[in-house]
Amino acid sequence: MDLTFPYEKKRSEFGKQCMFNDRGPELIDSCPSSLRVSVDFIRRNPVNTGVQNSKIQAEHEINTYRAEYSNALMNHVEGGWPKDVNIADEEQTKRYRRKVEKDESYAHIMQQLCKNMENCILQNNAINIYQQYYTDVEPTPLTEPCTARTVNVFQDQSSLKRPVTNMSWSPDGGSRVIVCHCNLVYQANIQSKHHHSYVWELENPNTPQMILNPPTQSVCIEYNQKDQNSLVSGQYNGQVAVWDVRRGNEPVDFSVMECSHRDPVNSILWINSKSGTEFFSGSTDGTLKWWDTRKMKDPLETLILDASKSEEQSISNALGCSILEYEHTIPTRFMVGTENGYVISCNRKGKAPNEKMMARYHTHYGPVLALQRNAAFVKNFLTVGDWTARIWSEDCKESAIMWTSYHKARLSDGAWSPTRYSVFYTARSDGILDVWDLLQDQHAATIGVKISDEPLTKLKTNEGGRLICVGNQIGTTYIIEFSDNLSYSNKNDKALLTAIFERETRREKILEARNREIRLKQRTARSSTQLAEEQVDTDDTSFEDPNVVAAEQEFFAIIERETKVEEEEEEEEEEGQENLELLQGFDTEDEVKP
């Protein structure tokens, strides 16, 4: 097949058109010879002179034949294969391809073909497709704008509107989402008919696919990522329930009340195990419990969140659990967010309680409402609490490496994007969902979406990256879809984000080292002062603290200086008064003399 490239050009660009016609020679002018003019000429010897307007070139002709080449393609289905190769047999064709690729001349032939193809590609790219040829048309922006749209809205089917406390996406690609509602107001009067949780299909927002009917309110619920029919939920009364949607809308099994939590179960997560039936739960009673769905009578293990250094753990010193975090790539590690603002990094393989609770971070002044590790940088985790969101590194325990400014509205939840590692979301109590992209702006949200007029309570990201589920205070759930530039990473994003995290981590390490040095100097000064006090005899009353002496000297020096200033001002006032009296006396005498 020949590749032709027509080039078009206007006729006016070729120059003036030549007009030819058939006509004979015409005599324009004639100059006859005159003998009178010959007198003015000087005769000389004959000279032959040749005059030529252009370079002299020799004429040479050789009869040759020009080689004509034509580019042609070959369709192997139509007979390009050898006769001994059966094109219907896939194994024979693959074997023949491998044989041809191993030939020494294969690389040389491909290089020659690539040159011809490269020439065509370069000609194709010679035209700038982004060039603006018309001035009356606005240029198209090259960067995609950040956008978000609401896909579906799910309403609470109960007459009593309850807040959304947790959501979970189904593991089959997110075709369904389960939403649980719970009123966590202390001693709220909730009837049994208002305990329902709903399984919604994304394509059907009118009626739920299934209504789960627990005996008490469900605070949290999670899908098993290995089995889309299995669920576990944490109840308001401290129990944990196991569900199988194939067996109806009632729980399959419950934990025994005596072995359950004493407070509502705030968080529940599945863990990696060979059987795929193990999970753990956390509550504000200060305990974590590991369970197996095949044996719900007793927990497999119980951990008391007593962060003190005492050998025996006490439930009276335990910290209440507000949120749990578990990364499946680190099977033995997990993190716990507490009610008093601490995040505890734990290791399940530890033998002693101090070994199980390895590190503690003071993240917020109030409860930790959200806690999640970054999918690509597991050392960095996000926390949300109070009025701010913070990004921490496990290498820096004293302060966060990055944080947002304090918002006017309280933050209620946050999460990382599972596909674009530099993006995280925060939900606010004024109904706005903020999207932060660290590669675009680290001081302000990239986009803020007004979801509803009611406070947002919970959000959950889909593993696909584009969808996010957001719940509010009156039980309404929104499915939000974001644009591609907020959902998917580019090839350089991971390297750029790595540089940002490393730079901020180094900066915080330098500040921590500086703070430790200052604290060490203060402790050394205090210890030297105490040592000097111990060396002085108790009967010697002349000993005084050098800091106190310095402070007294400075105090009396200031008093003396201020006293001198006041005396000088008084002297100036007295002199001014005397001068004024003298002037008044002179005026009186002048008046009396006449």
Side-chain angles (χ1 to χ4, degrees):
M1 181 176 66
D2 293 336
L3 299 177
T4 60
F5 304 95
Y7 295 94
E8 297 181 356
K9 196 172 184 182
K10 291 183 179 181
R11 176 62 191 81
S12 60
E13 298 178 3
F14 283 100
K16 185 177 179 181
Q17 184 178 3
C18 297
M19 305 299 293
F20 300 98
N21 54 4
D22 296 334
R23 56 187 300 181
E26 294 181 357
L27 181 61
I28 300 174
D29 195 3
S30 178
C31 296
S33 60
S34 177
L35 296 176
R36 291 178 300 177
V37 179
S38 62
V39 179
D40 299 332
F41 286 86
I42 301 175
R43 296 179 180 272
R44 67 176 189 175
N45 294 331
V47 176
N48 296 327
T49 303
V51 178
Q52 186 69 21
N53 294 331
S54 61
K55 295 181 180 179
I56 300 175
Q57 297 179 352
E59 184 179 358
H60 184 70
E61 294 181 358
I62 298 177
N63 296 328
T64 58
Y65 294 96
R66 178 177 297 179
E68 297 181 358
Y69 297 95
S70 62
N71 295 327
L73 301 179
M74 180 180 293
N75 190 351
H76 289 278
V77 179
E78 297 178 357
W81 296 92
K83 296 181 179 179
D84 57 343
V85 177
N86 184 11
I87 61 175
D89 191 353
E90 187 177 357
E91 293 184 359
Q92 289 189 16
T93 55
K94 288 183 178 179
R95 193 181 307 113
Y96 182 75
R97 287 194 185 97
R98 289 195 295 267
K99 179 182 176 181
V100 172
E101 291 174 357
K102 292 180 180 179
D103 192 0
E104 295 180 355
S105 62
Y106 175 76
H108 178 70
I109 295 173
M110 292 302 297
Q111 288 180 356
Q112 297 296 327
L113 294 175
C114 289
K115 289 182 179 179
N116 298 333
M117 183 179 66
E118 184 181 3
N119 184 27
C120 299
I121 293 174
L122 292 175
Q123 289 181 0
N124 212 19
N125 294 338
I127 301 174
N128 184 9
I129 62 175
Y130 297 105
Q131 183 178 353
Q132 188 66 35
Y133 291 95
Y134 305 98
T135 57
D136 57 342
V137 180
E138 296 182 359
T140 304
L142 301 181
T143 58
E144 181 185 0
C146 301
T147 58
R149 68 184 185 94
T150 303
V151 178
N152 269 330
V153 180
F154 306 134
Q155 301 287 345
D156 186 6
Q157 303 297 304
S158 175
S159 59
L160 180 64
K161 301 303 180 183
R162 303 161 297 162
V164 176
T165 55
N166 197 14
M167 296 92 69
S168 180
W169 292 90
S170 61
D172 58 349
S175 62
R176 300 186 306 274
V177 62
I178 185 169
V179 182
C180 65
H181 306 262
C182 180
N183 190 352
L184 295 176
V185 178
Y186 181 65
Q187 291 185 348
N189 186 14
I190 304 297
Q191 301 177 5
S192 58
K193 65 179 181 178
H194 299 295
H195 296 168
H196 296 155
S197 298
Y198 308 101
V199 179
W200 296 90
E201 286 184 336
L202 295 186
E203 303 299 332
N204 184 16
N206 299 322
T207 56
Q209 183 186 15
M210 178 177 288
I211 300 177
L212 304 182
N213 186 21
T216 59
Q217 296 185 92
S218 296
V219 182
C220 54
I221 194 166
E222 287 292 335
Y223 267 107
N224 189 346
Q225 297 302 315
K226 295 183 179 180
D227 185 7
Q228 60 180 352
N229 299 313
S230 179
L231 301 98
V232 290
S233 63
Q235 305 304 122
Y236 185 77
N237 61 353
Q239 291 180 296
V240 291
V242 181
W243 304 78
D244 192 341
V245 296
R246 296 169 296 186
R247 298 173 61 178
N249 60 352
E250 300 289 338
V252 177
D253 199 357
F254 264 105
S255 62
V256 181
M257 196 66 186
E258 289 76 9
C259 300
S260 302
H261 295 280
R262 297 183 299 175
D263 288 342
V265 181
N266 288 331
S267 184
I268 192 168
L269 292 175
W270 292 91
I271 61 177
N272 281 347
S273 60
K274 294 181 180 180
S275 61
T277 58
E278 296 183 10
F279 63 96
F280 71 119
S281 59
S283 173
T284 52
D285 62 353
T287 60
L288 301 181
K289 296 181 182 292
W290 280 260
W291 308 86
D292 192 334
T293 57
R294 299 170 296 181
K295 183 183 177 182
M296 295 296 294
K297 292 183 179 180
D298 294 320
L300 301 177
E301 184 182 352
T302 301
L303 175 64
I304 300 175
L305 293 176
D306 184 5
S308 61
K309 297 183 179 180
S310 59
E311 297 180 358
E312 296 182 359
Q313 289 184 313
S314 174
I315 192 67
S316 60
N317 298 329
L319 305 176
C321 171
S322 60
I323 191 70
L324 294 175
E325 199 284 331
Y326 180 77
E327 176 60 38
H328 294 276
T329 58
I330 316 175
T332 61
R333 301 278 297 277
F334 63 94
M335 304 185 79
V336 184
T338 62
E339 285 189 318
N340 59 351
Y342 285 92
V343 171
I344 303 175
S345 178
C346 304
N347 186 1
R348 193 182 176 189
K349 295 299 182 181
K351 297 181 180 179
N354 293 334
E355 296 177 358
K356 291 183 177 181
M357 292 179 283
M358 301 183 299
R360 186 173 64 172
Y361 307 86
H362 190 193
T363 57
H364 299 280
Y365 298 105
V368 181
L369 302 177
L371 174 62
Q372 187 180 13
R373 290 183 185 269
N374 191 295
F377 306 90
V378 293
K379 280 190 174 183
N380 301 98
F381 57 93
L382 172 72
T383 63
V384 173
D386 304 331
W387 289 265
T388 181
R390 298 180 179 180
I391 299 174
W392 297 77
S393 174
E394 289 185 345
D395 299 332
C396 302
K397 296 181 174 58
E398 295 184 4
S399 62
I401 60 173
M402 301 177 72
W403 55 86
T404 66
S405 59
Y406 283 89
H407 297 76
K408 294 182 180 180
R410 185 178 61 87
L411 300 184
S412 56
D413 200 3
W416 287 102
S417 172
T419 53
R420 185 171 175 82
Y421 309 125
S422 62
V423 171
F424 66 92
Y425 310 94
T426 56
R428 290 160 47 176
S429 59
D430 56 357
I432 296 178
L433 176 67
D434 286 333
V435 184
W436 297 76
D437 193 342
L438 300 178
L439 296 180
Q440 295 187 21
D441 195 345
Q442 301 177 15
H443 300 89
T446 304
I447 181 175
V449 185
K450 180 69 174 178
I451 303 297
S452 68
D453 296 331
E454 300 294 331
L456 303 181
T457 57
K458 204 70 178 178
L459 64 86
K460 194 78 170 183
T461 56
N462 189 1
E463 60 180 5
R466 295 201 64 175
L467 298 178
I468 183 171
C469 187
V470 185
N472 66 2
Q473 186 70 26
I474 61 174
T476 307
T477 307
Y478 301 86
I479 305 297
I480 311 298
E481 183 181 13
F482 292 95
S483 56
D484 291 342
N485 58 349
L486 293 176
S487 305
Y488 305 111
S489 297
N490 299 325
K491 59 181 180 180
N492 297 327
D493 288 355
K494 192 171 183 179
L496 294 174
L497 191 60
T498 302
I500 291 175
F501 284 157
E502 289 180 352
R503 182 188 71 235
E504 298 298 330
T505 302
R506 287 196 301 269
R507 181 177 65 85
E508 290 301 326
K509 285 183 178 179
I510 293 171
L511 294 176
E512 286 183 3
R514 175 60 179 165
N515 292 334
R516 284 195 296 268
E517 182 180 354
I518 293 174
R519 289 195 296 268
L520 179 61
K521 289 182 179 179
Q522 292 176 352
R523 286 197 298 269
T524 304
R526 286 195 297 268
S527 61
S528 60
T529 303
Q530 293 176 359
L531 183 61
E533 291 177 353
E534 292 176 357
Q535 292 177 355
V536 174
D537 189 10
T538 55
D539 295 336
D540 187 7
T541 58
S542 62
F543 174 76
E544 293 182 357
D545 189 354
N547 295 329
V548 175
V549 173
E552 289 180 353
Q553 292 176 355
E554 184 179 0
F555 174 74
F556 288 118
I558 293 173
I559 292 177
E560 185 177 357
R561 186 168 59 252
E562 293 295 331
T563 303
K564 289 181 179 179
V565 172
E566 290 180 358
E567 291 177 353
E568 292 176 357
E569 291 178 354
E570 290 178 357
E571 291 178 357
E572 291 178 357
E573 289 181 358
E574 290 178 356
E575 291 178 358
Q577 187 69 24
E578 292 177 357
N579 294 334
L580 182 61
E581 291 178 356
L582 291 174
L583 292 174
Q584 290 177 354
F586 292 150
D587 295 341
T588 305
E589 292 177 356
D590 294 341
E591 293 176 357
V592 171
K593 286 180 180 179

